[in-house]
Amino acid sequence: IMTQENPGHVVAKSADLFDTFEIHRIDREFIDSAPETAGIYLLYGADPQGKVAAYVGKSTTSLKTRVSNHKKDKNKEWFGTIYAVPLPDPNLCGAVEADLIYAIEEVGVVKIRDNKQPEERFRESEDVHVGEMLEKVKVGIELVLGSPIFSGEVESTKGGAKELSKQTQKSALERKYQGPAAKIRERT
């Protein structure tokens, strides 16, 4: 369920009444409306070369304070949108951040900008809560963003450059489901 908090701030929430998961899509000008809780965030925009870029970060105290610092940073003038995801436990932040950075780098749909290598101790955490939360964050951000930055199908071209497959280039609503139920069976 999506609601508009103000002209530059949209919140996407789970339709499950017992699930508190939410993603805040905030335009740069409205950064002061970010949540004041622990969580992870994705800065998204075009870098100085015009390439789509992302930066993944975390805050174990206040997303609002952390992302406000980025707005003042001259090296981060490239981003236009923030995707902030409050997490129920600050202890999840490091593991979720590390796995998101790794997923973006591995898929290669967007360029990771200015992210330092995350600590290896957070990668592939065995904590059952991390895996569940990580999957929610990946799917949720991709839905709100409309781009498969964590799971996109990437094909190599003749020059070695990476391009999204024809299926992935389509908007989220245009993509055709190709799973096991794609073929319609006649009822007997």
Side-chain angles (χ1 to χ4, degrees):
I1 300 171
M2 296 182 87
T3 56
Q4 187 167 0
E5 298 289 307
N6 61 48
H9 184 171
V10 174
V11 179
K13 297 180 181 181
S14 171
D16 180 351
L17 297 175
F18 299 103
D19 190 356
T20 59
F21 181 74
E22 59 186 34
I23 296 174
H24 296 254
R25 183 201 175 280
I26 307 166
D27 291 341
R28 184 184 181 98
E29 301 82 53
F30 296 95
I31 213 166
D32 292 334
S33 67
E36 293 194 41
T37 60
I40 60 95
Y41 60 91
L42 175 85
L43 305 181
Y44 192 80
D47 69 11
Q49 293 78 32
K51 304 261 186 210
V52 178
Y55 174 91
V56 178
K58 70 177 185 287
S59 174
T60 56
T61 55
S62 170
L63 285 165
K64 179 179 181 175
T65 302
R66 185 70 184 111
V67 297
S68 292
N69 291 337
H70 289 306
K71 185 177 180 184
K72 299 171 193 168
D73 186 347
K74 295 287 182 197
N75 294 324
K76 299 224 172 73
E77 289 182 347
W78 57 268
F79 77 89
T81 308
I82 299 157
Y83 295 87
V85 184
L87 297 180
D89 183 350
N91 295 318
L92 295 171
C93 295
V96 172
E97 176 197 33
D99 279 323
L100 291 178
I101 292 169
Y102 179 78
I104 291 174
E105 287 176 336
E106 179 140 276
V107 171
V109 172
V110 298
K111 175 184 171 188
I112 283 286
R113 186 161 165 83
D114 301 327
N115 267 116
K116 295 183 176 94
Q117 189 66 1
E119 291 186 53
E120 284 298 315
R121 68 186 168 115
F122 289 125
R123 287 274 305 121
E124 299 175 2
S125 173
E126 297 298 324
D127 184 340
V128 67
H129 303 293
V130 171
E132 181 182 327
M133 184 55 64
L134 181 63
E135 202 52 39
K136 277 184 171 182
V137 171
K138 284 180 176 179
V139 169
I141 289 178
E142 284 185 341
L143 285 171
V144 175
L145 180 62
S147 175
I149 65 171
F150 303 112
S151 63
E153 298 172 26
V154 179
E155 296 176 349
S156 292
T157 59
K158 292 177 186 173
K162 294 181 178 179
E163 287 187 3
L164 296 177
S165 68
K166 298 284 187 221
Q167 181 72 8
T168 307
Q169 287 178 20
K170 297 178 182 178
S171 73
L173 296 176
E174 292 178 306
R175 293 187 196 122
K176 179 182 173 188
Y177 177 72
Q178 296 181 339
K183 295 178 185 171
I184 299 173
R185 295 185 307 171
E186 287 189 35
R187 292 185 175 196
T188 55

